[in-house]
Amino acid sequence: EPDVRVRALASTTRVTDPYLSRQWNLWEFDASIWAPYAWNYSRGAGVVIAILDTGVLPHPDLQANLVAGYGFVSDATYSNDGDARDADASDPGDWAEAGACDTGSAATSSTWHGSHVAGIAAAAGYNGQGVTGVAYGAKIMPVKVLDSNGGGTYADIIDGIYYAADNGAKVINMSLGGTADSRALRIERRPRHACARVRHHHAERVGPAWPRAGVPSGTAPQRLDSRRSRPHRSVRAGPCWSRRDAGCH
């Protein structure tokens, strides 16, 4: 047979976001997910990704991809926005003033953890600013389940999962972890409705989420008894230690 010459294939997708050049995890040849090649086939259009985290900021690199979400922090003392559960899923920050956590403790700035995670998943592409999300054609549903300490309860998180699955999310991301087991959070055997990704006790699990019977679409479900679960069912976001667990407040 003839000896035919071949050439390297390049992505036909040309993203103009200035910080894409620093996102080596998307495009670097030996150690990335090769996102530019995947973008030739799909960019996430038509998919809603629920980010269960600290909420999101109205950042220009996120706003075009945001859909309505909900705030599920049930304790107004730690919600940091003056009330408890409401339709506001914005992130008011999780800073701490000097001495707030312990005598002599240093002040800490806000992590903006939820905005960071949302940007990794689906920051806008082709907008000439910031970074590029892995699925920059997808939509972000912010679901605030972590409070001003960067921690939250299993009860609030479970209701956040129900809300996301019932309101159109196809993917549910939870970059948070806890050390206590929860039967209600074991999602692998539940009816399939959305795919959930959760990091729990340093182990990553992916499985189907489940719909909640009797919760009308577009409304927030009634909360579980978070007071019962709070002492032994707190979680923290990714690498961010819950300052309440460490004695804060």
Side-chain angles (χ1 to χ4, degrees):
E1 65 183 69
D3 186 11
V4 178
R5 292 182 64 82
V6 298
R7 60 187 177 85
L9 292 177
S11 169
T12 58
T13 301
R14 295 289 183 264
V15 181
T16 60
D17 303 334
Y19 293 126
L20 177 61
S21 62
R22 303 183 186 182
Q23 294 177 268
W24 57 266
N25 56 302
L26 297 185
W27 52 260
E28 204 276 333
F29 185 80
D30 293 320
S32 79
I33 63 173
W34 286 27
Y37 296 91
W39 291 335
N40 290 326
Y41 303 95
S42 177
R43 302 163 197 178
V47 175
V48 175
I49 304 172
I51 305 294
L52 273 64
D53 213 288
T54 61
V56 298
L57 292 167
H59 193 283
D61 223 13
L62 298 177
Q63 281 190 299
N65 284 347
L66 289 177
V67 298
Y70 207 86
F72 278 95
V73 176
S74 56
D75 190 335
T77 304
Y78 300 106
S79 65
N80 224 21
D81 62 0
D83 54 16
R85 294 188 171 189
D86 57 23
D88 181 7
S90 63
D91 187 352
D94 55 2
W95 73 93
E97 297 179 355
C101 292
D102 201 355
T103 302
S105 63
T108 59
S109 58
S110 294
T111 63
W112 312 120
H113 191 268
S115 298
H116 182 187
V117 173
I120 292 172
Y126 283 104
N127 64 347
Q129 61 183 329
V131 299
T132 306
V134 174
Y136 63 84
K139 297 299 183 182
I140 300 164
M141 177 190 293
V143 181
K144 182 181 175 182
V145 297
L146 301 179
D147 59 24
S148 61
N149 291 319
T153 67
Y154 284 174
D156 289 348
I157 292 166
I158 289 167
D159 277 357
I161 293 172
Y162 290 141
Y163 173 87
D166 285 346
N167 286 276
K170 296 300 182 184
V171 178
I172 300 173
N173 185 91
M174 294 174 281
S175 296
L176 46 84
T179 57
D181 188 27
S182 170
R183 182 178 180 181
L185 274 175
R186 296 175 190 167
I187 60 178
E188 286 80 2
R189 294 188 178 94
R190 300 290 179 170
R192 184 175 298 276
H193 193 129
C195 180
R197 173 187 178 277
V198 59
R199 179 166 300 188
H200 176 260
H201 193 35
H202 307 296
E204 195 169 62
R205 296 183 178 183
V206 177
W210 60 97
R212 181 173 186 173
V215 180
S217 178
T219 64
Q222 296 297 311
R223 69 179 180 86
L224 302 179
D225 187 353
S226 62
R227 290 181 179 86
R228 285 188 302 171
S229 64
R230 187 176 302 280
H232 304 292
R233 296 293 187 269
S234 62
V235 298
R236 57 186 180 273
C240 309
W241 178 259
S242 170
R243 289 189 288 276
R244 184 191 305 164
D245 294 340
C248 191
H249 300 296

